[in-house]
């Protein structure tokens, strides 16, 4: 927080207007003579002194700011903890200034308010803030709980991997040269068993024991502050309160049943406030390592408590924070094809809550691929599926990729059906798609299948959603109403347009000239289709056409009753 002397002054009529506004409030008393600057108003409200910094009339986006003066009390919401000492040199009232947060970031468009409205709005918000009931104060402090907690916390930062678990549990405590982790036991981290120079990177500490304890009743829980740390009494009240049962009876019983013989205990509390569930961590020092129940250890042997910095880093929490659906978390997805489109699909699947992928692709990344391959040119000469495994697993330790450096075949696809919850094809070969489509139909595939492809011209793309228990399959796109095989009738691009966009390379093959825009819009449409599937909003099979201008769901009209794979015609 910086406070600088205000250069110049506002017009006299503005200064008169501001003082007239404040004088209209019976609760406010103007303090004269403290400053000669007419853009600053010094006043008293509810036995506290405040300084109002007026908005800049020349800047429509500016706002009025208010500071509390010479008030060191920590336990009032939205009054910033750190203060700035101001002397006579700045031409301001002397004392310690602490900023007051009156506006939530991004919640106001100040350019739409008049100068007078900005003053009135700031004063009304200040009066409303200072008029909170004790219960409202408690709720507001809990909204800013981690802000206050972090101001009091010290020591190392603990990374928390808790998942969606909301019950009492013992956590695994790991440490490397720089970081500390508390991990829910059934969360599998892809780097936890790594070795470097013959030594495990992550060491499991056996001298420290850690637990997660959910708090069900948040009444009366006030965060600490750098000037007011929690003591053992706050911890015992939280766990074994006489007036309020903050934890459940089952949690209390489990604490009685859990035997501890350590002198250092780490506890991660989960606190549900009006706006979110937050986690905060304490280190409890005990006078000895005698064997007792966890509850007895805290009530009888605890001598010291230290607030610790901790950060939720688990995949569930990160997805929840940005509004990702949790339906895909932990479900295994089979991705066939890791080329240009497949690389973008894999990347976005992981970023949208899918952390268990199996990828098949026998192709090698070449220099011609890198401009439209999601991970660039660092991996030229390496298998695409293996590269995706390395890149995606480095994205987050809870991401698990099974990569195969060869193409999938009939036998492999049948074996994958046992575990896959979703199958996505992003291969460019129609022959491959037709062949595997038949395998899925014959073997009674019971999971959603998505065929995703770009047309040869690189302008249009398509998504075919198939449930093999319903009418329609991929071969329907190649079948007329008589069951005769023809070219893919879903394609929109003309043969001439395809030829114009094709780059021929002699016997080395051909490439289609297209950029990444078609890849991005196709992946975006795919994510929307998947979201509808997992929400149960897309039950019928459908064909989705995607162009630069629009995305059209054509429904199940593509289905041909005489298709030799899924229709009524006799197989050849």
């Amino acid at each position: 927080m910086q406070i600088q002397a205000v250069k110049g002054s506002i017009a006299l009529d503005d200064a008169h207007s501001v003082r007239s506004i404040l004088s209209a409030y019976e609760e406010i008393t103007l303090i004269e003579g403290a400053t000669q600057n007419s853009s600053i108003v010094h006043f008293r409200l509810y036995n506290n002194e405040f300084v109002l910094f007026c908005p800049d009339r020349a800047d429509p986006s500016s706002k009025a700011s208010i500071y509390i003066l010479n008030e060191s009390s920590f336990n009032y919401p939205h009054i910033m903890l750190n203060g700035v000492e101001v002397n006579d040199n700045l031409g301001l009232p002397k004392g310690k200034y602490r900023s007051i947060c009156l506006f939530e970031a991004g919640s106001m468009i100040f350019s739409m308010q008049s100068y007078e409205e900005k003053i009135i709005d700031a004063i009304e918000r200040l009066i409303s803030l200072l008029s909170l009931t004790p219960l409202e104060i408690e709720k507001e402090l809990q909204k800013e709980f981690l802000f206050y907690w972090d101001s009091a916390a010290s020591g190392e930062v603990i990374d928390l991997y808790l998942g969606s678990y909301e019950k009492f549990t013992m956590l695994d405590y790991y440490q490397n040269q720089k970081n500390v982790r508390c991990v829910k036991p059934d969360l599998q981290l892809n780097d936890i068993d790594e070795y470097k120079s013959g030594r495990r990177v992550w060491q499991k500490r056996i001298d420290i024991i850690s637990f997660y304890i959910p708090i069900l009743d948040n009444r009366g829980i006030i965060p600490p502050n750098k000037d007011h740390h929690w003591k053992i009494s706050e911890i015992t009240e939280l766990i074994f309160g006489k007036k309020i049962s903050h934890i459940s009876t089952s949690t209390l019983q489990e604490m009685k049943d859990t035997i501890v013989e350590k002198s250092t205990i780490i506890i991660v509390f989960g606190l549900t406030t009006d706006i979110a569930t937050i986690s905060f961590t304490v280190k409890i020092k005990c006078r000895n390592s005698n064997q007792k129940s966890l509850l007895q250890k805290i009530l009888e042997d605890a001598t010291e408590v230290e607030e610790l910095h901790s950060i939720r880093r688990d995949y569930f929490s990160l997805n929840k924070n940005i509004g990702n659906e949790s339906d895909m978390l932990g479900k295994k997805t089979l991705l066939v094809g890791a080329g240009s489109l497949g690389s973008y699909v894999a990347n976005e699947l992981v970023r949208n809550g899918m952390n268990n992928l199996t990828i098949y692709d026998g192709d090698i990344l070449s220099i011609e691929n890198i401009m439209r391959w999601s991970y660039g040119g660092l991996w030229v000469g390496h298998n695409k599926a293996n590269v995706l495994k390395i890149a995606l697993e480095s994205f987050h330790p809870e991401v698990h990729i099974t990569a195969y450096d060869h193409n999938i075949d009939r036998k492999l696809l049948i074996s994958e059906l046992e575990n896959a919850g979703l199958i996505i094809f992003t291969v460019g070969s129609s022959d491959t798609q037709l062949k595997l489509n038949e395998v899925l139909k014959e073997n009674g595939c019971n999971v959603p299948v998505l065929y995703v492809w770009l047309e040869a011209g690189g302008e249009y793309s398509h998504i075919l959603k198939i449930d093999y228990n319903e009418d329609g399959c991929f071969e329907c796109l190649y079948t007329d109403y008589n069951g005769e095989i023809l070219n893919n009738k879903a394609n929109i691009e003309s043969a001439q347009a395809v030829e114009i966009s094709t780059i021929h390379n002699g016997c080395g093959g051909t490439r289609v000239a297209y950029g990444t825009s078609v890849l991005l819009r196709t992946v975006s449409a795919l994510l929307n289709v998947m979201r509808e599937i997992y929400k149960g909003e897309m039950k019928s099979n459908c064909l989705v056409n995607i162009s630069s201008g629009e995305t059209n769901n054509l429904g199940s009209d593509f289905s041909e009753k005489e298709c030799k794979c899924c229709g009524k015609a006799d197989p050849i």
Side-chain angles (χ1 to χ4, degrees), residues 319-457:
N319 277 280
K320 186 177 180 180
N321 286 344
I322 65 168
N324 278 348
E325 301 291 339
S326 60
D327 300 320
M328 296 186 287
L329 187 64
K331 293 184 178 179
K332 186 175 180 180
T333 296
L334 173 62
L335 178 64
V336 181
S340 297
L341 179 58
S343 71
Y344 276 78
V345 169
N347 184 37
E348 291 305 316
L349 289 180
V350 168
R351 293 177 182 274
N352 282 270
M354 190 166 283
N355 63 334
N356 191 340
L357 299 180
T358 297
I359 304 175
Y360 282 84
D361 198 304
D363 198 13
I364 301 298
L365 183 64
S366 66
I367 191 66
E368 292 87 0
N369 298 141
I370 66 172
M371 298 303 291
R372 56 190 188 199
W373 203 75
S374 61
Y375 289 98
L378 294 176
W379 305 96
V380 170
H382 295 271
N383 173 261
K384 293 177 180 178
N386 286 335
V387 172
L388 286 180
K389 174 181 173 64
I390 295 170
L392 294 173
E393 288 191 343
S394 65
F395 176 76
H396 191 277
E398 285 183 59
V399 174
H400 298 277
I401 308 296
T402 303
Y404 294 100
D405 59 359
H406 51 266
N407 294 329
I408 199 167
D409 58 21
R410 178 186 183 91
K411 183 178 179 180
L412 292 171
L413 180 56
I414 293 172
S415 68
E416 292 291 348
L417 285 178
E418 297 178 8
N419 298 313
L422 175 70
I423 300 174
I424 302 176
F425 289 100
T426 53
V427 294
S429 168
S430 297
D431 286 330
T432 298
Q433 291 169 312
L434 286 166
K435 178 176 64 176
L436 298 180
N437 169 75
E438 185 178 2
V439 173
L440 294 174
K441 180 63 178 178
E442 288 178 352
N443 288 273
C445 176
N446 284 315
V447 299
V449 179
L450 298 170
Y451 295 87
V452 190
W453 73 97
L454 310 182
E455 282 196 28

Side-chain angles (χ1 to χ4, degrees), residues 13 32 91 139 155 175 200 203 225 243 284 305 357 390 426 428 430 437 460 496 507 522 567:
D13 56 343
E32 304 293 348
K139 295 295 184 183
Q175 188 169 9
R200 289 183 68 98
Q203 300 290 328
N225 170 267
K243 296 181 180 179
I284 297 175
V305 60
L357 299 180
I390 295 170
T426 53
S430 297
N437 169 75
Y460 298 96
Q496 182 181 8
C507 294
T522 303

Side-chain angles (χ1 to χ4, degrees), residues 3 16 39 58 66 83 108 121 145 166 209 232 262 339 343 349 427 477 488-489 492 501 537 564:
I3 297 179
H16 177 74
S39 64
I66 299 179
M108 295 288 295
D121 186 38
F145 194 97
E166 295 297 336
I209 193 166
I232 292 297
K262 309 294 182 185
S343 71
L349 289 180
V427 294
L477 301 179
N488 191 338
K489 60 178 181 285
I492 300 172
S501 63
E537 298 172 356
K564 294 177 176 59

Side-chain angles (χ1 to χ4, degrees), residues 8-19:
S9 63
I10 57 177
L12 291 179
D13 56 343
D14 283 344
H16 177 74
S17 174
V18 172
R19 282 167 167 74

